[in-house]
Amino acid sequence: RADLIIVLNTPLKQELLKHNFPESKIEIVGAGINLKSIISSKYPKYTRNYSGIFLGRLHPAKGIYDLVSIWKKVVLQIPDATLAIIGSGEPAVVRQLRLEIEAANLSNNISILGVLADHEVYHLMKKAKIFLFTDHESGWGLAVAEAMANGLPVVGYSIGVLETIYKDGFRVVPLGNTVRFANEVVELLTHKHEQQTLAKRARKIARSLDWKLTTVAFNQTLMKHFIPRLL
């Protein structure tokens, strides 16, 4: 019965259409990032360098256990590769993740950092080389936008988000294929030119995701649907 339905991505719009929602009422407007704040954030010299970064809720739907399998394969080819896992979750989930990291003998390669302030996250991203998007389901992928704005190319699962929202600056692999995922990570970590080229394209995409632009799009959507009714 709503006059307007705003969704985050094309796949979600298609899902609603399957359930007979009227297409005339559905508009796609994404989220956004504070681009100026991210770009102006400078990392201190003491910030540790990590090869890869994961940022998100620590939950199976975010593919956190896949991270262990992926990074184990990465370390077989790059023994000193390190991964920072940033975020929080249920104690039982975090405990299980730690156990899996220990069982895989990756305690020196994977660090669970918990919740960090935004500027701390950006510092770590600026000094890292790649961002891992292991989500099994996602609406927009805010962490991806923040990573791209900080100059990180992304490797992620093909769940529709990267391809329909970001368009460039990433590599996708089939959902659950940790072998392909690890190979893509290794490829970027060992080929600096490819990594830098993808990072440059990622930054370009991030510039189009500023909250100011999102706000304009949101306002235009409201005007399109409601101003004619007031005339």
Side-chain angles (χ1 to χ4, degrees):
R1 296 181 181 180
D3 294 312
L4 173 63
I5 303 166
I6 296 179
V7 298
L8 284 170
N9 58 52
T10 300
L12 182 52
K13 177 180 178 179
Q14 296 303 319
E15 185 67 25
L16 293 183
L17 292 177
K18 290 179 183 178
H19 292 279
N20 299 316
F21 280 72
E23 185 169 11
S24 61
K25 292 184 176 183
I26 303 175
E27 295 284 355
I28 301 172
V29 179
I33 54 175
N34 189 337
L35 192 61
K36 182 178 179 181
S37 175
I38 293 173
I39 292 176
S40 63
S41 178
K42 305 295 183 182
Y43 58 81
K45 293 181 179 179
Y46 59 80
T47 301
R48 181 178 173 183
N49 290 5
Y50 289 95
S51 309
I53 299 285
F54 168 88
L55 170 64
R57 180 167 52 98
L58 302 189
H59 187 277
K62 294 293 184 180
I64 58 167
Y65 300 132
D66 295 14
L67 289 169
V68 181
S69 178
I70 291 166
W71 213 251
K72 186 174 181 64
K73 297 175 178 65
V74 171
V75 169
L76 288 175
Q77 299 183 64
I78 310 175
D80 61 348
T82 53
L83 172 66
I85 298 177
I86 305 170
S88 64
E90 293 293 330
V93 173
V94 178
R95 183 165 54 251
Q96 180 61 34
L97 180 58
R98 291 189 187 279
L99 289 174
E100 294 198 13
I101 291 171
E102 292 172 5
N105 295 315
L106 293 174
S107 297
N108 293 327
N109 298 92
I110 300 179
S111 301
I112 301 176
L113 304 183
V115 177
L116 301 177
D118 286 349
H119 73 276
E120 293 178 295
V121 173
Y122 302 153
H123 294 166
L124 291 170
M125 284 182 170
K126 281 183 169 67
K127 298 189 75 173
K129 296 179 173 65
I130 194 168
F131 184 81
L132 285 73
F133 180 66
T134 52
D135 290 35
H136 290 194
E137 55 185 49
S138 180
W140 196 78
L142 178 61
V144 171
E146 293 178 326
M148 287 186 169
N150 280 296
L152 287 182
V154 177
V155 177
Y157 284 139
S158 179
I159 58 173
V161 172
L162 294 177
E163 303 94 315
T164 62
I165 295 172
Y166 295 96
K167 305 293 196 311
D168 203 352
F170 60 85
R171 291 186 177 180
V172 294
V173 301
L175 178 61
N177 192 329
T178 58
V179 174
R180 281 274 302 278
F181 203 119
N183 288 341
E184 293 290 355
V185 170
V186 170
E187 176 76 12
L188 290 174
L189 290 180
T190 55
H191 292 80
K192 188 174 182 179
H193 177 71
E194 291 184 29
Q195 176 200 323
Q196 291 178 338
T197 298
L198 203 60
K200 183 178 180 180
R201 283 151 45 186
R203 286 192 184 96
K204 183 177 180 180
I205 290 294
R207 288 198 293 270
S208 69
L209 303 172
D210 187 80
W211 266 122
K212 293 181 180 178
L213 299 176
T214 304
T215 301
V216 170
F218 182 80
N219 287 341
Q220 289 175 340
T221 299
L222 295 181
M223 292 173 65
K224 171 185 171 183
H225 280 263
F226 296 120
I227 292 299
R229 299 185 183 191
L230 301 177
L231 298 178

